[in-house]
Amino acid sequence: DRYKTEGCAQSVARDARFDYVTLGVIGLNALWIGIELDLNPADTVPTSTAGFQIMENLFCLFFTSEVMIRFLAFKKKIDALKDVRFMFDAALVTLMVLETWVMYFVVAA
């Protein structure tokens, strides 16, 4: 097991409820993507209406927090690079951060 045995992050990361909540949010995000594709005429988050922007930011915040909690739970941070599931999730979150938060600066420039 690569997680610490003490501390808040490892306690949350090991909790089955954390996994269930994360899976639930993934499901909601999938539904939201479908709704957004049907109803949002904008091409980027910054050019979307407020409701779409709020939802995208909430999902991005949740998934960023989830990856950070899991990262902080590792005993050795280098072990995160050896965890394929973690690396996949981190790559997805990085893309989401680029699309949701970095695009604000690109569009504004």
Side-chain angles (χ1 to χ4, degrees), residues 44-93:
T44 62
V45 175
T47 58
S48 299
T49 59
F52 290 109
Q53 289 185 32
I54 290 168
M55 290 304 294
E56 287 298 323
N57 279 285
L58 289 174
F59 282 121
C60 193
L61 179 64
F62 177 84
F63 291 127
T64 301
S65 300
E66 185 254 344
V67 166
M68 288 304 300
I69 288 168
R70 287 177 40 214
F71 178 75
L72 292 171
F74 282 100
K75 283 181 212 172
K76 299 178 191 170
K77 304 309 178 215
I78 195 75
D79 285 344
L81 298 175
K82 300 172 188 172
D83 187 323
V84 175
R85 179 179 156 222
F86 176 82
M87 290 303 297
F88 178 75
D89 291 347
L92 289 177
V93 168

